[in-house]
Amino acid sequence: MALAILVALCVASFVTLNTAQGSDPVPTDTIGLGAEQSTKASESQELPSSKLDTGTEAAAGASSAATLQQSAARTITVEDPDPVVEIAAVDTTSDSTVAAAAQVGETNPLPTAPRIVPDTSGEGWQTGMASAYDLETNQGWDATALGVTLTRDSVTVAVPEGQEHLLGRAVEIVYGDTVVVATVTDTGGFAKYGRALDLAGGVWKAFGASTWGEWGVRVVHYKFL
């Protein structure tokens, strides 16, 4: 009996010793922790997306600032337009009159350009009475002393008889703040009435009259160019 007990004790000791010397099974939660640590270690090598976004935004901000600085450096200063004489009507059938008008002003100046009126007190300017005529008052004749055809919208004038040397000349006429550059194409016997010019339809219409009768006879400033 004692021998049996002794054998049993020896077997128990042998089993205990083998268990202590061997490797205990690793708990499953330790394996899970190791895998988690491994995953975190791998993730720690990558930059968080929030930091990446922050870096991108910073770069974009720097680029925008640089663009603004470049835009500021390229700013161009635009000077105000020069004052200009606006011409209401020009005799476009005469090249010499068109060229003369270009020395006086413009027919289509910039909207922002200040408008000015010629100084009619300067050299060459005259003041006189101007009447108006049309095909009706010209007895239906459309021929002129210069040989051009008179129309209802001709930007032309007649001068008194005896001033034929002015035929073909451009004349700048100012009435109020309106400027017209016309061509002398005819002569007439109206000097005895104290009139200096006789205006064709394109001229008195540019000055705002609807008929030659409405215009009547008015004082104008004029200068032969």
Side-chain angles (χ1 to χ4, degrees):
M1 181 66 177
L3 181 58
I5 293 172
L6 180 60
V7 171
L9 290 173
C10 289
V11 171
S13 298
F14 178 78
V15 172
T16 302
L17 287 174
N18 285 341
T19 302
Q21 291 176 358
S23 297
D24 289 338
V26 180
T28 56
D29 58 345
T30 301
I31 294 176
L33 178 62
E36 183 178 355
Q37 288 177 338
S38 176
T39 302
K40 290 183 178 179
S42 175
E43 291 176 350
S44 66
Q45 295 176 2
E46 299 178 0
L47 195 63
S49 59
S50 59
K51 292 185 179 180
L52 286 173
D53 293 343
T54 302
T56 302
E57 292 175 358
S63 176
S64 299
T67 301
L68 289 174
Q69 290 178 352
Q70 292 175 358
S71 298
R74 291 196 300 266
T75 299
I76 299 174
T77 301
V78 178
E79 297 182 357
D80 293 334
D82 293 331
V84 64
V85 173
E86 184 173 13
I87 303 175
V90 177
D91 178 21
T92 57
T93 66
S94 169
D95 292 339
S96 59
T97 299
V98 171
Q103 301 300 315
V104 171
E106 300 179 22
T107 56
N108 189 29
L110 292 173
T112 55
R115 272 50 168 181
I116 58 174
V117 178
D119 180 8
T120 56
S121 64
E123 182 180 356
W125 283 97
Q126 303 178 59
T127 301
M129 303 294 290
S131 54
Y133 74 107
D134 200 350
L135 287 174
E136 296 175 2
T137 62
N138 205 38
Q139 298 178 349
W141 290 95
D142 59 2
T144 64
L146 190 62
V148 299
T149 302
L150 176 68
T151 70
R152 297 185 184 278
D153 296 313
S154 293
V155 187
T156 60
V157 302
V159 294
E161 294 176 343
Q163 297 184 10
E164 285 80 7
H165 65 283
L166 293 175
L167 289 172
R169 289 278 296 276
V171 57
E172 180 181 0
I173 310 169
V174 178
Y175 176 70
D177 59 358
T178 304
V179 180
V180 172
V181 179
T183 305
V184 179
T185 60
D186 214 346
T187 62
F190 46 82
K192 58 186 176 182
Y193 302 111
R195 303 169 189 173
L197 297 173
D198 206 10
L199 312 180
V203 180
W204 48 260
K205 288 177 183 177
F207 286 144
S210 57
T211 65
W212 64 268
E214 179 188 343
W215 172 265
V217 179
R218 306 187 191 187
V219 176
V220 298
H221 304 284
Y222 62 99
K223 177 181 180 181
F224 295 102
L225 305 175

